CSV table of all heavy atoms in Angstrom, one decimal:
chain,number,residue,atom,x,y,z
E,1,PRO,N,9.6,-9.0,1.4
E,1,PRO,CA,8.3,-9.2,2.0
E,1,PRO,C,8.3,-10.6,2.7
E,1,PRO,O,9.0,-11.5,2.3
E,1,PRO,CB,7.4,-9.3,0.7
E,1,PRO,CG,8.3,-9.6,-0.4
E,1,PRO,CD,9.7,-9.1,-0.1
E,2,LEU,N,7.6,-10.6,3.8
E,2,LEU,CA,7.4,-11.9,4.6
E,2,LEU,C,6.1,-12.6,4.2
E,2,LEU,O,6.0,-13.7,4.5
E,2,LEU,CB,7.4,-11.5,6.1
E,2,LEU,CG,8.7,-10.8,6.6
E,2,LEU,CD1,8.4,-10.4,8.0
E,2,LEU,CD2,9.9,-11.6,6.5
E,3,GLY,N,5.3,-11.9,3.6
E,3,GLY,CA,4.0,-12.4,3.1
E,3,GLY,C,3.2,-11.4,2.3
E,3,GLY,O,3.7,-10.2,2.2
E,4,GLU,N,2.1,-11.7,1.8
E,4,GLU,CA,1.3,-10.8,1.0
E,4,GLU,C,0.4,-10.0,1.8
E,4,GLU,O,-0.3,-10.5,2.7
E,4,GLU,CB,0.5,-11.6,0.0
E,4,GLU,CG,-0.2,-10.7,-1.1
E,4,GLU,CD,-0.9,-11.5,-2.1
E,4,GLU,OE1,-0.4,-12.6,-2.5
E,4,GLU,OE2,-1.9,-11.1,-2.6
E,5,VAL,N,0.4,-8.7,1.6
E,5,VAL,CA,-0.4,-7.7,2.4
E,5,VAL,C,-1.8,-7.9,2.0
E,5,VAL,O,-2.2,-7.9,0.8
E,5,VAL,CB,0.0,-6.3,2.1
E,5,VAL,CG1,-0.8,-5.3,2.9
E,5,VAL,CG2,1.5,-6.0,2.4
E,6,PRO,N,-2.7,-8.2,3.0
E,6,PRO,CA,-4.1,-8.5,2.7
E,6,PRO,C,-5.0,-7.3,2.4
E,6,PRO,O,-5.7,-6.8,3.3
E,6,PRO,CB,-4.6,-9.3,3.9
E,6,PRO,CG,-3.8,-8.7,5.0
E,6,PRO,CD,-2.4,-8.4,4.4
E,7,VAL,N,-4.8,-6.6,1.3
E,7,VAL,CA,-5.6,-5.5,0.9
E,7,VAL,C,-6.7,-6.0,0.0
E,7,VAL,O,-6.5,-6.6,-1.1
E,7,VAL,CB,-4.8,-4.4,0.2
E,7,VAL,CG1,-5.7,-3.3,-0.2
E,7,VAL,CG2,-3.7,-4.0,1.0
E,8,THR,N,-8.0,-5.9,0.5
E,8,THR,CA,-9.1,-6.5,-0.3
E,8,THR,C,-9.9,-5.5,-0.9
E,8,THR,O,-10.1,-4.3,-0.4
E,8,THR,CB,-10.0,-7.4,0.6
E,8,THR,OG1,-10.4,-6.6,1.7
E,8,THR,CG2,-9.2,-8.6,1.2
E,9,GLY,N,-10.5,-5.8,-2.0
E,9,GLY,CA,-11.4,-4.9,-2.7
E,9,GLY,C,-10.8,-3.8,-3.5
E,9,GLY,O,-9.7,-3.4,-3.2
E,10,GLU,N,-11.4,-3.4,-4.5
E,10,GLU,CA,-10.9,-2.3,-5.3
E,10,GLU,C,-11.4,-1.0,-4.7
E,10,GLU,O,-12.4,-0.9,-4.0
E,10,GLU,CB,-11.5,-2.4,-6.7
E,10,GLU,CG,-10.9,-3.5,-7.5
E,10,GLU,CD,-11.5,-3.5,-9.0
E,10,GLU,OE1,-12.2,-2.6,-9.4
E,10,GLU,OE2,-11.1,-4.5,-9.7
E,11,GLN,N,-10.7,0.1,-5.0
E,11,GLN,CA,-11.1,1.4,-4.6
E,11,GLN,C,-11.1,2.3,-5.8
E,11,GLN,O,-10.2,2.5,-6.5
E,11,GLN,CB,-10.0,2.0,-3.6
E,11,GLN,CG,-10.5,3.3,-3.0
E,11,GLN,CD,-9.5,3.7,-1.8
E,11,GLN,OE1,-8.6,3.0,-1.5
E,11,GLN,NE2,-9.8,4.8,-1.2
E,12,SER,N,-12.3,2.7,-6.1
E,12,SER,CA,-12.5,3.6,-7.3
E,12,SER,C,-12.5,5.0,-6.9
E,12,SER,O,-13.1,5.4,-5.9
E,12,SER,CB,-13.9,3.3,-8.0
E,12,SER,OG,-13.9,1.9,-8.4
E,13,VAL,N,-11.8,5.8,-7.7
E,13,VAL,CA,-11.7,7.3,-7.5
E,13,VAL,C,-12.0,8.0,-8.8
E,13,VAL,O,-11.4,7.7,-9.8
E,13,VAL,CB,-10.2,7.6,-7.0
E,13,VAL,CG1,-10.1,9.1,-6.7
E,13,VAL,CG2,-9.9,6.8,-5.8
E,14,GLU,N,-12.9,8.9,-8.7
E,14,GLU,CA,-13.3,9.7,-9.9
E,14,GLU,C,-12.2,10.7,-10.2
E,14,GLU,O,-11.4,11.1,-9.3
E,14,GLU,CB,-14.6,10.4,-9.7
E,14,GLU,CG,-15.8,9.5,-9.5
E,14,GLU,CD,-16.1,8.6,-10.7
E,14,GLU,OE1,-15.9,9.1,-11.8
E,14,GLU,OE2,-16.4,7.4,-10.5
E,15,SER,N,-12.2,11.2,-11.4
E,15,SER,CA,-11.2,12.2,-11.9
E,15,SER,C,-11.2,13.4,-10.9
E,15,SER,O,-12.3,13.9,-10.4
E,15,SER,CB,-11.6,12.7,-13.3
E,15,SER,OG,-10.7,13.6,-13.7
E,16,SER,N,-10.0,13.9,-10.6
E,16,SER,CA,-9.8,15.0,-9.7
E,16,SER,C,-10.1,14.8,-8.3
E,16,SER,O,-10.1,15.7,-7.5
E,16,SER,CB,-10.5,16.3,-10.2
E,16,SER,OG,-11.8,16.3,-9.9
E,17,MET,N,-10.3,13.5,-7.9
E,17,MET,CA,-10.6,13.2,-6.5
E,17,MET,C,-9.3,12.6,-5.9
E,17,MET,O,-8.5,12.1,-6.6
E,17,MET,CB,-11.8,12.3,-6.3
E,17,MET,CG,-13.1,12.9,-6.8
E,17,MET,SD,-14.5,11.9,-6.4
E,17,MET,CE,-14.6,12.1,-4.7
E,18,VAL,N,-9.3,12.6,-4.5
E,18,VAL,CA,-8.2,12.0,-3.8
E,18,VAL,C,-8.7,10.9,-2.9
E,18,VAL,O,-9.8,11.0,-2.3
E,18,VAL,CB,-7.5,13.1,-2.9
E,18,VAL,CG1,-6.4,12.5,-2.1
E,18,VAL,CG2,-6.9,14.2,-3.8
E,19,ALA,N,-7.9,9.8,-2.7
E,19,ALA,CA,-8.3,8.7,-1.8
E,19,ALA,C,-7.0,8.2,-1.1
E,19,ALA,O,-5.9,8.4,-1.6
E,19,ALA,CB,-8.9,7.6,-2.6
E,20,SER,N,-7.3,7.6,0.0
E,20,SER,CA,-6.2,6.9,0.7
E,20,SER,C,-6.7,5.6,1.3
E,20,SER,O,-7.9,5.4,1.5
E,20,SER,CB,-5.6,7.9,1.8
E,20,SER,OG,-6.6,8.1,2.8
E,21,ARG,N,-5.7,4.8,1.7
E,21,ARG,CA,-6.0,3.5,2.3
E,21,ARG,C,-4.9,3.2,3.3
E,21,ARG,O,-3.7,3.3,2.9
E,21,ARG,CB,-6.1,2.4,1.3
E,21,ARG,CG,-6.5,1.1,1.9
E,21,ARG,CD,-6.7,0.0,0.9
E,21,ARG,NE,-8.0,0.3,0.3
E,21,ARG,CZ,-8.7,-0.6,-0.5
E,21,ARG,NH1,-8.1,-1.7,-0.7
E,21,ARG,NH2,-9.8,-0.3,-1.0
E,22,ARG,N,-5.2,2.9,4.5
E,22,ARG,CA,-4.2,2.6,5.5
E,22,ARG,C,-4.0,1.1,5.7
E,22,ARG,O,-5.0,0.4,5.7
E,22,ARG,CB,-4.7,3.2,6.9
E,22,ARG,CG,-4.6,4.7,6.9
E,22,ARG,CD,-5.0,5.2,8.3
E,22,ARG,NE,-5.1,6.6,8.3
E,22,ARG,CZ,-4.1,7.4,8.7
E,22,ARG,NH1,-3.0,6.9,9.1
E,22,ARG,NH2,-4.3,8.7,8.7
E,23,VAL,N,-2.8,0.7,5.7
E,23,VAL,CA,-2.4,-0.7,5.8
E,23,VAL,C,-1.3,-0.8,6.7
E,23,VAL,O,-0.3,-0.1,6.7
E,23,VAL,CB,-2.1,-1.2,4.4
E,23,VAL,CG1,-1.7,-2.7,4.5
E,23,VAL,CG2,-3.2,-1.0,3.4
E,24,ASP,N,-1.3,-1.8,7.7
E,24,ASP,CA,-0.2,-2.1,8.6
E,24,ASP,C,0.8,-3.0,7.8
E,24,ASP,O,0.5,-4.2,7.6
E,24,ASP,CB,-0.7,-2.7,9.8
E,24,ASP,CG,0.4,-3.0,10.8
E,24,ASP,OD1,1.5,-2.6,10.7
E,24,ASP,OD2,0.1,-3.7,11.8
E,25,LEU,N,2.0,-2.5,7.5
E,25,LEU,CA,3.0,-3.2,6.8
E,25,LEU,C,3.9,-4.1,7.6
E,25,LEU,O,4.6,-5.0,7.1
E,25,LEU,CB,3.8,-2.3,5.9
E,25,LEU,CG,3.0,-1.5,4.9
E,25,LEU,CD1,3.9,-0.5,4.2
E,25,LEU,CD2,2.3,-2.4,3.9
E,26,MET,N,4.0,-3.8,8.9
E,26,MET,CA,4.9,-4.4,9.8
E,26,MET,C,4.8,-6.0,9.8
E,26,MET,O,5.9,-6.6,9.8
E,26,MET,CB,4.8,-3.9,11.3
E,26,MET,CG,5.4,-2.6,11.5
E,26,MET,SD,7.1,-2.5,11.3
E,26,MET,CE,7.7,-3.4,12.7
E,27,PRO,N,3.6,-6.6,9.8
E,27,PRO,CA,3.6,-8.1,9.8
E,27,PRO,C,4.0,-8.7,8.5
E,27,PRO,O,4.3,-9.9,8.4
E,27,PRO,CB,2.1,-8.4,10.1
E,27,PRO,CG,1.5,-7.1,10.6
E,27,PRO,CD,2.3,-6.0,10.0
E,28,TYR,N,4.1,-7.9,7.4
E,28,TYR,CA,4.3,-8.4,6.1
E,28,TYR,C,5.7,-8.1,5.5
E,28,TYR,O,6.0,-8.5,4.4
E,28,TYR,CB,3.2,-8.0,5.2
E,28,TYR,CG,1.9,-8.4,5.8
E,28,TYR,CD1,1.1,-7.4,6.4
E,28,TYR,CD2,1.4,-9.7,5.8
E,28,TYR,CE1,-0.1,-7.7,7.0
E,28,TYR,CE2,0.2,-10.0,6.4
E,28,TYR,CZ,-0.5,-9.0,7.0
E,28,TYR,OH,-1.7,-9.4,7.6
E,29,TYR,N,6.5,-7.2,6.1
E,29,TYR,CA,7.8,-6.8,5.7
E,29,TYR,C,8.8,-6.8,6.8
E,29,TYR,O,8.4,-6.5,8.0
E,29,TYR,CB,7.8,-5.4,5.0
E,29,TYR,CG,7.2,-5.5,3.6
E,29,TYR,CD1,5.8,-5.4,3.5
E,29,TYR,CD2,8.0,-5.6,2.5
E,29,TYR,CE1,5.2,-5.4,2.2
E,29,TYR,CE2,7.4,-5.6,1.2
E,29,TYR,CZ,6.0,-5.5,1.1
E,29,TYR,OH,5.5,-5.6,-0.2
E,30,ASP,N,10.0,-7.1,6.6
E,30,ASP,CA,11.0,-7.1,7.6
E,30,ASP,C,11.6,-5.7,7.8
E,30,ASP,O,12.5,-5.3,7.2
E,30,ASP,CB,12.2,-8.1,7.2
E,30,ASP,CG,13.3,-8.1,8.3
E,30,ASP,OD1,13.0,-7.7,9.4
E,30,ASP,OD2,14.4,-8.6,8.0
E,31,LEU,N,10.9,-5.0,8.7
E,31,LEU,CA,11.2,-3.6,9.0
E,31,LEU,C,11.9,-3.5,10.3
E,31,LEU,O,11.8,-2.5,11.0
E,31,LEU,CB,10.0,-2.7,8.9
E,31,LEU,CG,9.2,-2.7,7.6
E,31,LEU,CD1,7.9,-2.0,7.7
E,31,LEU,CD2,10.1,-2.0,6.5
E,32,SER,N,12.7,-4.5,10.7
E,32,SER,CA,13.3,-4.5,12.0
E,32,SER,C,14.5,-3.6,12.1
E,32,SER,O,14.9,-3.2,13.2
E,32,SER,CB,13.7,-6.0,12.3
E,32,SER,OG,14.6,-6.5,11.3
E,33,LYS,N,15.1,-3.2,11.0
E,33,LYS,CA,16.2,-2.3,10.9
E,33,LYS,C,15.8,-0.9,11.1
E,33,LYS,O,14.9,-0.4,10.3
E,33,LYS,CB,17.0,-2.5,9.6
E,33,LYS,CG,18.4,-2.6,9.7
E,33,LYS,CD,19.0,-2.9,8.4
E,33,LYS,CE,20.4,-2.2,8.3
E,33,LYS,NZ,21.0,-2.4,7.0
E,34,PRO,N,16.3,-0.1,12.1
E,34,PRO,CA,15.9,1.3,12.2
E,34,PRO,C,16.3,2.1,11.0
E,34,PRO,O,17.3,1.8,10.4
E,34,PRO,CB,16.5,1.7,13.5
E,34,PRO,CG,17.4,0.7,13.9
E,34,PRO,CD,17.2,-0.5,13.1
E,35,GLY,N,15.5,3.1,10.7
E,35,GLY,CA,15.9,4.0,9.5
E,35,GLY,C,14.7,4.5,8.8
E,35,GLY,O,13.5,4.3,9.2
E,36,ARG,N,14.9,5.2,7.7
E,36,ARG,CA,13.9,5.7,6.9
E,36,ARG,C,13.7,4.9,5.7
E,36,ARG,O,14.6,4.3,5.1
E,36,ARG,CB,14.2,7.1,6.5
E,36,ARG,CG,14.2,8.1,7.6
E,36,ARG,CD,14.6,9.5,7.2
E,36,ARG,NE,14.6,10.4,8.3
E,36,ARG,CZ,13.8,11.4,8.4
E,36,ARG,NH1,12.9,11.7,7.4
E,36,ARG,NH2,13.8,12.2,9.4
E,37,TYR,N,12.4,4.7,5.3
E,37,TYR,CA,12.1,3.9,4.2
E,37,TYR,C,11.2,4.6,3.2
E,37,TYR,O,10.4,5.6,3.6
E,37,TYR,CB,11.3,2.6,4.6
E,37,TYR,CG,12.1,1.7,5.5
E,37,TYR,CD1,12.1,1.9,6.9
E,37,TYR,CD2,12.8,0.7,5.0
E,37,TYR,CE1,12.8,1.0,7.7
E,37,TYR,CE2,13.5,-0.2,5.8
E,37,TYR,CZ,13.5,0.0,7.2
E,37,TYR,OH,14.2,-0.8,8.0
E,38,THR,N,11.2,4.2,1.9
E,38,THR,CA,10.3,4.8,0.9
E,38,THR,C,9.4,3.6,0.5
E,38,THR,O,9.9,2.6,0.1
E,38,THR,CB,11.1,5.3,-0.3
E,38,THR,OG1,12.0,6.3,0.1
E,38,THR,CG2,10.2,5.8,-1.4
E,39,VAL,N,8.1,3.9,0.5
E,39,VAL,CA,7.1,2.9,0.1
E,39,VAL,C,6.5,3.3,-1.2
E,39,VAL,O,6.1,4.4,-1.3
E,39,VAL,CB,6.0,2.7,1.2
E,39,VAL,CG1,4.9,1.8,0.7
E,39,VAL,CG2,6.6,2.4,2.5
E,40,THR,N,6.6,2.4,-2.2
E,40,THR,CA,6.0,2.7,-3.5
E,40,THR,C,4.9,1.7,-3.8
E,40,THR,O,5.1,0.5,-3.7
E,40,THR,CB,7.1,2.6,-4.6
E,40,THR,OG1,8.1,3.5,-4.2
E,40,THR,CG2,6.5,3.0,-6.0
E,41,ALA,N,3.7,2.2,-4.1
E,41,ALA,CA,2.6,1.3,-4.5
E,41,ALA,C,2.3,1.5,-6.0
E,41,ALA,O,2.4,2.7,-6.5
E,41,ALA,CB,1.4,1.6,-3.6
E,42,THR,N,1.9,0.5,-6.7
E,42,THR,CA,1.5,0.6,-8.1
E,42,THR,C,0.0,0.8,-8.2
E,42,THR,O,-0.8,0.1,-7.6
E,42,THR,CB,1.9,-0.6,-8.8
E,42,THR,OG1,3.3,-0.8,-8.7
E,42,THR,CG2,1.6,-0.5,-10.3
E,43,VAL,N,-0.3,1.9,-8.9
E,43,VAL,CA,-1.7,2.3,-9.1
E,43,VAL,C,-2.2,1.8,-10.4
E,43,VAL,O,-1.5,2.1,-11.4
E,43,VAL,CB,-1.9,3.8,-9.0
E,43,VAL,CG1,-3.4,4.2,-9.2
E,43,VAL,CG2,-1.5,4.3,-7.6
E,44,LYS,N,-3.2,1.0,-10.5
E,44,LYS,CA,-3.7,0.5,-11.8
E,44,LYS,C,-4.8,1.4,-12.3
E,44,LYS,O,-5.8,1.6,-11.6
E,44,LYS,CB,-4.3,-0.9,-11.6
E,44,LYS,CG,-4.7,-1.6,-12.9
E,44,LYS,CD,-5.3,-2.9,-12.7
E,44,LYS,CE,-4.2,-3.9,-12.3
E,44,LYS,NZ,-4.7,-5.3,-12.2
E,45,LEU,N,-4.6,2.0,-13.5
E,45,LEU,CA,-5.6,2.8,-14.1
E,45,LEU,C,-6.3,2.0,-15.2
E,45,LEU,O,-5.8,1.8,-16.3
E,45,LEU,CB,-4.9,4.1,-14.8
E,45,LEU,CG,-4.2,4.9,-13.8
E,45,LEU,CD1,-3.4,6.0,-14.5
E,45,LEU,CD2,-5.1,5.5,-12.7
E,46,LYS,N,-7.4,1.5,-14.9
E,46,LYS,CA,-8.1,0.5,-15.7
E,46,LYS,C,-8.5,1.1,-17.1
E,46,LYS,O,-8.3,0.5,-18.1
E,46,LYS,CB,-9.4,0.1,-15.0
E,46,LYS,CG,-10.2,-1.0,-15.6
E,46,LYS,CD,-11.3,-1.4,-14.6
E,46,LYS,CE,-12.5,-2.0,-15.3
E,46,LYS,NZ,-13.5,-2.3,-14.3
E,47,GLN,N,-9.0,2.3,-17.1
E,47,GLN,CA,-9.4,2.9,-18.3
E,47,GLN,C,-8.3,3.3,-19.3
E,47,GLN,O,-8.4,3.3,-20.5
E,47,GLN,CB,-10.3,4.2,-18.1
E,47,GLN,CG,-11.6,3.8,-17.4
E,47,GLN,CD,-12.3,5.0,-16.9
E,47,GLN,OE1,-11.7,5.9,-16.4
E,47,GLN,NE2,-13.7,4.9,-16.9
């Protein structure tokens, strides 16, 4: 990472619902090398 991705606010999703959030990662990660990447985000389940 080159810096912290500025994702603000929580996103609540009820059971059996789907949600998405778009974020531009290019300014915050060194993705200058051509190729395929796998992005993994950690989902926090509060309850």
